[in-house]
Amino acid sequence: MLSTRVLHLLQIIPFLAVPAVYAQSNHCRYGEPCWPSDSIWQQFNVSIDGQLVSVIPPAASCHTPRYDQATCATATTNWDNSFWRADQVGAYQTPFWERGLDGTCFIGTPMDQPCDQGRVPVLAAAANNADHVQKSVQFAKEHRLLVVVKNTGHDYLGRSSGTGSFMIWTHKLRGIELINAFVPTDAPSDYSAQPAVTVQAGVQWVDVYTAAHEKGVVVVGGGARSVGAAGGWALGGGHSPLGPKYGMGVDNILQFTLITPDGKSRVANEYSDKELFWGLRGGGGSAWGVILSVTYKTHPPLKNALGGLFIFTATTPDDAFAFNTAAFAALPKIADQGVNGYLSVRGNIFGLAVFQPDSGVDPENTGDFTLANSTVAPLLEYATSHPNAGTVTLLWKKHASFFDWFNFTISDVSIGENTWFGSRLISRETLTNSPEKLADLFRVERFGAFINFGETNSHSRCGGVELIDDL
């Protein structure tokens, strides 16, 4: 007998506004003859304990025929809430990847305005455990389905959405285990066990940082609260405020567990599936399989953490271009002092949030930040020598721990905004020799930048690859 949930699911599918014709592809999408029948989907749903769910865009409840006043009010209130979006199977952190270029499902528009499916997958396996993930991969392989993997929806390259696709949603896979003496699978008998933390795929960084702080350790993670700690962040390399001290995220990974596209459960580390381990550390989100968990090294707590905020508001666009050119050229010198952080450029405003772990600034905690000012000296010198070019705001605060700095400084930005992101690695050479070319990009007002900068203390990786300078 079909459950009420599955009957409801099957009633919804025919009304989804998904085009039936796609460009030629080796993968099967909703609306094509190869798409599994209702009965096949029912059987699959039973095999994963009823966790197959229909997926709709987050604004769908504000439009007919799926209008619901209470649900629409919740969506409207939480539209820019990153954690709410992460908890919605059909929501992404930027709505662009819900709608694509031609989608019509907007929040705050008339109820009778069309709301199509856009790039939001049609069905999802809301996996509660590894078995659900494995069966989902095997089912997708058997039926050649176009598959996307989503945790929190932070993939700004759109790899966790896809028109007419089937989603494996890993956000319900939760669990954090702090380990005093971790030994990877198949490690030799003389392996020196080390402190570590294993996080399941659905865990977010704010939860990892909280658990690590309570344990009295730190872990290299993302500069965001709601980003998943065991998914695309790690697979993409993992830039971190702690990079200058402990390396990138991939330098700190000891082990992965995952389901590979052949439907097999695997453990990858330096001793087991070594080549896969190398590929996972930087190969990109879902490129090698569906991650179930990641084990990271943990480190002793910081002695302190220095945080600073520098803002330059230019008088004119030309002043902004000149300052941005000087600022980009100065970044390598700033990074050489053990400072890293995040900068943003938009219009006439240049903002720089800096972070320095175990800082020697103000050792007596008297509020003397003279030494801190030296870390951004090139920026201050430019502003002083060009007094009419703009105004400067400079604030410093010394924190007792990384966790204190994180809670004081980090919030998730650009959530619920229709922003299309690009991603580039910018070398020290480019910043030093061609800063004006980078600054010239931002003469166009609609373009902006959010850049993580810093020299990374990277460690040797499997296969002899070493990243020694990441700006």
Side-chain angles (χ1 to χ4, degrees), residues 197-250:
V197 59
T198 296
V199 296
Q200 304 301 312
V203 174
Q204 293 162 286
W205 275 119
V206 66
D207 299 318
V208 179
Y209 289 148
T210 300
H213 179 69
E214 292 173 352
K215 179 73 171 178
V217 297
V218 295
V219 57
V220 174
R225 306 182 74 83
S226 61
V227 169
W233 180 87
L235 295 173
H239 65 73
S240 172
L242 290 168
K245 190 170 183 67
Y246 294 124
M248 297 178 69
V250 290

Side-chain angles (χ1 to χ4, degrees), residues 93-405:
Q93 299 299 329
T94 174
F96 177 82
W97 295 116
E98 297 162 5
R99 296 189 293 264
L101 290 173
D102 304 314
T104 62
C105 197
F106 294 89
I107 198 79
T109 53
M111 183 175 63
D112 59 354
Q113 178 172 313
C115 172
D116 61 14
Q117 191 74 4
R119 288 178 54 90
V120 175
V122 175
L123 293 171
N128 281 331
N129 53 52
D131 183 62
H132 292 166
V133 174
Q134 186 169 28
K135 287 178 178 176
S136 297
V137 172
Q138 291 169 345
F139 179 81
K141 179 175 182 289
E142 178 184 355
H143 296 282
R144 298 188 302 107
L145 301 180
L146 175 65
V147 177
V148 296
V149 182
K150 175 177 175 279
N151 176 12
T152 62
H154 279 88
D155 191 328
Y156 291 112
L157 298 179
R159 290 168 294 190
S160 56
S161 66
T163 304
S165 63
F166 167 60
M167 177 199 297
I168 300 174
W169 193 34
T170 62
H171 191 54
K172 291 186 174 185
L173 301 178
R174 300 297 180 98
I176 302 172
E177 182 184 7
L178 286 149
I179 307 163
N180 292 327
F182 177 79
V183 177
T185 299
D186 293 337
S189 58
D190 61 350
Y191 179 88
S192 297
Q194 56 186 308
V197 59
T198 296
V199 296
Q200 304 301 312
V203 174
Q204 293 162 286
W205 275 119
V206 66
D207 299 318
V208 179
Y209 289 148
T210 300
H213 179 69
E214 292 173 352
K215 179 73 171 178
V217 297
V218 295
V219 57
V220 174
R225 306 182 74 83
S226 61
V227 169
W233 180 87
L235 295 173
H239 65 73
S240 172
L242 290 168
K245 190 170 183 67
Y246 294 124
M248 297 178 69
V250 290
D251 298 309
N252 287 270
I253 294 175
L254 298 173
Q255 183 166 286
F256 293 94
T257 63
L258 71 157
I259 307 298
T260 46
D262 57 6
K264 295 181 180 180
S265 177
R266 300 181 186 273
V267 175
N269 58 47
E270 191 175 350
Y271 311 100
S272 174
D273 242 326
K274 186 174 181 178
E275 291 187 0
L276 178 60
F277 185 54
W278 186 87
L280 286 165
R281 291 182 295 163
S286 305
W288 302 99
V290 184
I291 301 299
L292 300 175
S293 71
V294 178
T295 301
Y296 296 95
K297 302 174 186 176
T298 59
H299 303 275
L302 301 183
K303 298 174 183 177
N304 62 69
L306 177 67
L309 179 64
F310 176 96
I311 299 174
F312 184 82
T313 305
T315 306
T316 68
D318 287 341
D319 290 324
F321 169 76
F323 178 83
N324 291 344
T325 299
F328 288 139
L331 284 182
K333 296 179 182 178
I334 294 174
D336 286 342
Q337 299 180 71
V339 174
N340 79 329
Y342 301 87
L343 69 87
S344 64
V345 181
R346 185 68 183 266
N348 286 0
I349 300 177
F350 175 98
L352 182 69
V354 299
F355 170 74
Q356 187 176 46
D358 290 339
S359 174
V361 169
D362 190 22
E364 303 300 324
N365 295 316
T366 61
D368 180 5
F369 292 108
T370 303
L371 183 60
N373 290 341
S374 67
T375 62
V376 292
L379 308 184
L380 292 173
E381 290 169 2
Y382 182 93
T384 300
S385 63
H386 299 80
N388 297 321
T391 58
V392 170
T393 300
L394 180 59
L395 303 171
W396 295 102
K397 184 175 177 63
K398 193 173 181 182
H399 303 270
S401 68
F402 170 78
F403 189 65
D404 289 348
W405 171 84

